[in-house]
Short mmCIF file of all heavy atoms in Angstrom, two decimals:
data_model
loop_
_atom_site.label_atom_id
_atom_site.label_comp_id
_atom_site.label_asym_id
_atom_site.label_seq_id
_atom_site.Cartn_x
_atom_site.Cartn_y
_atom_site.Cartn_z
N VAL A 1114 -3.14 -11.54 1.81
CA VAL A 1114 -2.08 -10.50 1.51
C VAL A 1114 -1.43 -10.02 2.83
O VAL A 1114 -0.48 -9.19 2.85
CB VAL A 1114 -2.61 -9.31 0.67
CG1 VAL A 1114 -3.30 -9.86 -0.65
CG2 VAL A 1114 -3.57 -8.47 1.47
N LYS A 1115 -2.00 -10.39 3.99
CA LYS A 1115 -1.45 -9.95 5.22
C LYS A 1115 0.01 -10.27 5.33
O LYS A 1115 0.45 -11.38 5.04
CB LYS A 1115 -2.18 -10.64 6.36
CG LYS A 1115 -3.52 -9.96 6.72
CD LYS A 1115 -4.19 -10.61 7.96
CE LYS A 1115 -5.53 -10.03 8.21
NZ LYS A 1115 -6.24 -10.77 9.36
N GLY A 1116 0.75 -9.30 5.82
CA GLY A 1116 2.23 -9.50 5.92
C GLY A 1116 3.05 -9.12 4.74
O GLY A 1116 4.24 -9.16 4.72
N ARG A 1117 2.39 -9.08 3.53
CA ARG A 1117 2.99 -8.79 2.31
C ARG A 1117 2.71 -7.48 1.68
O ARG A 1117 3.46 -6.81 1.06
CB ARG A 1117 2.57 -9.98 1.25
CG ARG A 1117 3.04 -11.33 1.69
CD ARG A 1117 2.87 -12.35 0.51
NE ARG A 1117 1.39 -12.42 0.17
CZ ARG A 1117 0.96 -12.22 -1.06
NH1 ARG A 1117 1.88 -11.87 -2.08
NH2 ARG A 1117 -0.29 -12.37 -1.46
N PHE A 1118 1.36 -7.01 1.85
CA PHE A 1118 0.93 -5.80 1.42
C PHE A 1118 0.77 -4.81 2.45
O PHE A 1118 0.37 -5.20 3.62
CB PHE A 1118 -0.45 -6.01 0.63
CG PHE A 1118 -0.42 -6.79 -0.66
CD1 PHE A 1118 0.74 -7.52 -1.03
CD2 PHE A 1118 -1.53 -6.85 -1.43
CE1 PHE A 1118 0.78 -8.26 -2.19
CE2 PHE A 1118 -1.49 -7.57 -2.64
CZ PHE A 1118 -0.38 -8.19 -2.99
N THR A 1119 0.96 -3.53 2.12
CA THR A 1119 0.74 -2.46 3.09
C THR A 1119 0.04 -1.28 2.46
O THR A 1119 0.38 -0.78 1.41
CB THR A 1119 2.04 -1.90 3.69
OG1 THR A 1119 2.81 -3.00 4.28
CG2 THR A 1119 1.78 -0.88 4.71
N ILE A 1120 -1.13 -0.93 3.04
CA ILE A 1120 -1.89 0.18 2.54
C ILE A 1120 -1.53 1.42 3.37
O ILE A 1120 -1.30 1.31 4.61
CB ILE A 1120 -3.36 -0.12 2.59
CG1 ILE A 1120 -4.21 0.95 1.82
CG2 ILE A 1120 -3.93 -0.21 4.07
CD1 ILE A 1120 -5.70 0.64 1.63
N SER A 1121 -1.42 2.56 2.74
CA SER A 1121 -1.19 3.85 3.38
C SER A 1121 -1.74 4.94 2.63
O SER A 1121 -2.18 4.81 1.48
CB SER A 1121 0.45 4.01 3.54
OG SER A 1121 0.96 4.07 2.21
N ARG A 1122 -1.76 6.17 3.28
CA ARG A 1122 -2.36 7.26 2.57
C ARG A 1122 -1.57 8.50 3.05
O ARG A 1122 -1.08 8.57 4.13
CB ARG A 1122 -3.80 7.48 2.88
CG ARG A 1122 -4.21 7.72 4.27
CD ARG A 1122 -5.80 7.63 4.41
NE ARG A 1122 -6.44 8.59 3.64
CZ ARG A 1122 -7.73 8.46 3.29
NH1 ARG A 1122 -8.37 7.40 3.62
NH2 ARG A 1122 -8.38 9.45 2.57
N ASP A 1123 -1.44 9.43 2.13
CA ASP A 1123 -0.79 10.79 2.38
C ASP A 1123 -1.92 11.82 1.97
O ASP A 1123 -1.95 12.15 0.73
CB ASP A 1123 0.45 10.90 1.57
CG ASP A 1123 1.23 12.17 1.81
OD1 ASP A 1123 0.58 13.16 2.45
OD2 ASP A 1123 2.43 12.23 1.67
N ASN A 1124 -2.70 12.24 3.00
CA ASN A 1124 -3.72 13.23 2.61
C ASN A 1124 -3.15 14.55 2.16
O ASN A 1124 -3.83 15.21 1.36
CB ASN A 1124 -4.60 13.40 3.82
CG ASN A 1124 -5.55 12.20 4.03
OD1 ASN A 1124 -5.66 11.32 3.23
ND2 ASN A 1124 -6.17 12.17 5.24
N ALA A 1125 -1.98 14.87 2.47
CA ALA A 1125 -1.34 16.10 1.97
C ALA A 1125 -1.14 16.00 0.41
O ALA A 1125 -1.27 16.98 -0.32
CB ALA A 1125 -0.08 16.40 2.65
N LYS A 1126 -0.87 14.81 -0.05
CA LYS A 1126 -0.58 14.52 -1.41
C LYS A 1126 -1.90 14.03 -2.09
O LYS A 1126 -1.88 13.72 -3.35
CB LYS A 1126 0.59 13.56 -1.65
CG LYS A 1126 1.90 14.04 -1.21
CD LYS A 1126 3.02 13.08 -1.49
CE LYS A 1126 4.31 13.74 -1.10
NZ LYS A 1126 5.47 12.76 -1.37
N ASN A 1127 -2.94 13.83 -1.22
CA ASN A 1127 -4.25 13.37 -1.81
C ASN A 1127 -4.08 12.05 -2.60
O ASN A 1127 -4.60 11.84 -3.65
CB ASN A 1127 -4.84 14.47 -2.77
CG ASN A 1127 -6.32 14.38 -2.74
OD1 ASN A 1127 -6.91 14.01 -1.87
ND2 ASN A 1127 -6.96 14.89 -3.87
N THR A 1128 -3.24 11.12 -2.05
CA THR A 1128 -2.94 9.92 -2.65
C THR A 1128 -2.98 8.75 -1.64
O THR A 1128 -2.55 8.88 -0.46
CB THR A 1128 -1.58 9.92 -3.29
OG1 THR A 1128 -1.57 11.04 -4.22
CG2 THR A 1128 -1.26 8.67 -4.03
N VAL A 1129 -3.45 7.59 -2.15
CA VAL A 1129 -3.43 6.36 -1.32
C VAL A 1129 -2.57 5.35 -2.03
O VAL A 1129 -2.48 5.32 -3.29
CB VAL A 1129 -4.81 5.81 -1.14
CG1 VAL A 1129 -4.82 4.39 -0.43
CG2 VAL A 1129 -5.66 6.71 -0.31
N TYR A 1130 -1.76 4.62 -1.23
CA TYR A 1130 -0.81 3.66 -1.81
C TYR A 1130 -1.11 2.24 -1.35
O TYR A 1130 -1.70 1.93 -0.34
CB TYR A 1130 0.55 4.08 -1.37
CG TYR A 1130 0.99 5.55 -1.70
CD1 TYR A 1130 0.97 6.43 -0.74
CD2 TYR A 1130 1.47 5.85 -2.90
CE1 TYR A 1130 1.29 7.77 -0.93
CE2 TYR A 1130 1.86 7.18 -3.23
CZ TYR A 1130 1.68 8.14 -2.19
OH TYR A 1130 2.02 9.38 -2.45
N LEU A 1131 -0.63 1.36 -2.24
CA LEU A 1131 -0.63 -0.06 -1.84
C LEU A 1131 0.68 -0.62 -2.18
O LEU A 1131 1.03 -0.86 -3.36
CB LEU A 1131 -1.70 -0.91 -2.56
CG LEU A 1131 -1.84 -2.33 -2.18
CD1 LEU A 1131 -2.41 -2.37 -0.70
CD2 LEU A 1131 -2.75 -3.10 -3.12
N GLN A 1132 1.57 -0.84 -1.15
CA GLN A 1132 2.90 -1.48 -1.33
C GLN A 1132 2.74 -2.96 -1.35
O GLN A 1132 2.17 -3.51 -0.31
CB GLN A 1132 3.85 -1.01 -0.25
CG GLN A 1132 5.24 -1.59 -0.30
CD GLN A 1132 5.98 -1.19 -1.53
OE1 GLN A 1132 6.10 -0.03 -1.80
NE2 GLN A 1132 6.58 -2.12 -2.26
N MET A 1133 3.06 -3.58 -2.39
CA MET A 1133 2.95 -5.01 -2.52
C MET A 1133 4.35 -5.71 -2.59
O MET A 1133 5.05 -5.44 -3.56
CB MET A 1133 2.13 -5.34 -3.77
CG MET A 1133 0.76 -4.57 -3.80
SD MET A 1133 -0.28 -5.13 -5.20
CE MET A 1133 0.68 -4.58 -6.61
N ASN A 1134 4.65 -6.44 -1.64
CA ASN A 1134 5.97 -7.17 -1.57
C ASN A 1134 5.68 -8.70 -1.70
O ASN A 1134 4.59 -9.16 -1.51
CB ASN A 1134 6.65 -6.90 -0.35
CG ASN A 1134 7.04 -5.46 -0.18
OD1 ASN A 1134 7.18 -4.72 -1.24
ND2 ASN A 1134 7.02 -4.97 1.07
N SER A 1135 6.76 -9.49 -1.98
CA SER A 1135 6.75 -10.94 -2.04
C SER A 1135 5.50 -11.34 -2.94
O SER A 1135 4.72 -12.29 -2.53
CB SER A 1135 6.58 -11.50 -0.60
OG SER A 1135 7.67 -11.13 0.22
N LEU A 1136 5.42 -10.71 -4.10
CA LEU A 1136 4.27 -11.04 -4.95
C LEU A 1136 4.29 -12.42 -5.47
O LEU A 1136 5.36 -13.06 -5.64
CB LEU A 1136 4.27 -10.03 -6.11
CG LEU A 1136 3.72 -8.71 -5.79
CD1 LEU A 1136 4.18 -7.66 -6.78
CD2 LEU A 1136 2.24 -8.73 -5.64
N LYS A 1137 3.06 -13.00 -5.58
CA LYS A 1137 2.99 -14.37 -6.00
C LYS A 1137 2.09 -14.46 -7.33
O LYS A 1137 1.36 -13.48 -7.58
CB LYS A 1137 2.18 -15.18 -5.03
CG LYS A 1137 2.79 -15.15 -3.60
CD LYS A 1137 1.94 -15.94 -2.56
CE LYS A 1137 2.52 -15.88 -1.16
NZ LYS A 1137 1.65 -16.54 -0.21
#
């Protein structure tokens, strides 16, 4: 998933995200 997915977090919103692009 390298280069296609991005993990991030917003501790103020108490949420973690996984942006998934170029899905296969």
Side-chain angles (χ1 to χ4, degrees):
V1114 307
K1115 279 182 182 177
R1117 300 189 297 122
F1118 291 11
T1119 303
I1120 192 170
S1121 63
R1122 65 190 298 158
D1123 185 338
N1124 285 348
K1126 294 183 177 180
N1127 210 25
T1128 303
V1129 175
Y1130 305 98
L1131 184 69
Q1132 177 67 48
M1133 305 187 296
N1134 298 329
S1135 302
L1136 282 160
K1137 304 175 181 180

